[in-house]
Amino acid sequence: MSSTQSAAKSRPNLQWRVVDIAVASAIGVASAFIYWVAALLYTPIGGPLEVLLPGLSGLMNGLWLFAGPLAAVIVRKPGAAVYAEVVAAVLEALVGNQWGGAETFVIGLVQGIGAELVFLFVAYRVWNVLTLTLSGIVSAVGCWGYTFLTHLQGFDMTGAYGLWYLVATVISGALVAGVLMWYLYVGIAKTGALDRFASGREVRGARA
């Protein structure tokens, strides 16, 4: 079995520790800064993408989806994805963006729940690039649905714009929140920084 083999053979410890809260919070704080920068870049980058193909601005949405999957794969406790995503959303809202505080909080909650559902489905036992990618995809679908319900009611969700926006958002969620976060996690774990977590010891082949 490889050092990154992620199908747990024993029942996982799902009880939160102080270090779990601290690291999930740190991920949320760091992600909030990136979310805020992404909000500043949304119009100058998303605008030209929309001109190129209506709905293509969804490619940027993955920049708001990664906190949940990253926290989940490192901490591996129920609610980690929701917690990190909500912390990031609240802090982004406090710093300020064009969407406002309440809306930023709600979409962060929706995205966090979407990311969490995949890990809940596998009972927090399977941790690999596939589950992380699926987590990013489900979070992306939540982002897409919420955006249509709150901002894009004038568009047909199953029309050309709706479908392209969905495809672009899912691609972004899969690549940024899924694949990229998996390799970021593995890279961090290889440094030994995560040795206090089963996720870190798993990558390094170290004993608890």
Side-chain angles (χ1 to χ4, degrees):
M1 183 164 33
S2 68
S3 63
T4 55
Q5 180 66 38
S6 54
K9 298 302 182 183
S10 59
R11 179 175 297 182
N13 177 12
L14 302 182
Q15 202 166 30
W16 280 74
R17 305 167 298 165
V18 173
V19 68
D20 298 325
I21 298 171
V23 170
S25 298
I27 291 171
V29 171
S31 299
F33 174 73
I34 297 174
Y35 288 8
W36 177 71
V37 172
L40 295 178
L41 297 175
Y42 186 79
T43 297
I45 296 178
L49 288 174
E50 286 293 302
V51 172
L52 184 62
L53 178 66
L56 203 59
S57 63
L59 288 174
M60 293 193 65
N61 287 338
L63 296 174
W64 286 277
L65 302 176
F66 65 82
L70 181 60
V73 76
I74 291 176
V75 175
R76 301 190 178 184
K77 299 295 192 294
V82 176
Y83 178 79
E85 193 69 39
V86 168
V87 168
V90 169
L91 292 178
E92 180 195 354
L94 289 175
V95 174
N97 61 26
Q98 62 264 48
W99 298 291
E103 184 172 342
T104 301
F105 168 78
V106 173
I107 194 169
L109 179 61
V110 169
Q111 292 168 175
I113 291 172
E116 189 81 33
L117 284 175
V118 173
F119 307 117
L120 176 63
F121 181 76
V122 297
Y124 302 96
R125 288 176 179 268
V126 182
W127 303 97
N128 55 32
V129 68
L130 177 59
T131 53
L132 219 64
T133 300
L134 289 174
S135 177
I137 288 173
V138 177
S139 182
V141 172
C143 170
W144 169 80
Y146 179 85
T147 301
F148 261 91
L149 291 175
T150 56
H151 289 290
L152 303 174
Q153 299 96 325
F155 292 93
D156 181 0
M157 292 181 75
T158 59
Y161 184 91
L163 291 177
W164 276 117
Y165 192 77
L166 172 61
V167 169
T169 301
V170 165
I171 289 173
S172 184
L175 295 180
V176 177
V179 177
L180 182 60
M181 289 306 104
W182 170 259
Y183 287 106
L184 176 61
Y185 144 66
V186 171
I188 295 172
K190 284 182 177 178
T191 69
L194 302 178
D195 280 358
R196 295 187 67 184
F197 296 88
S199 59
R201 295 190 297 271
E202 181 179 282
V203 170
R204 283 164 52 82
R207 296 192 178 202

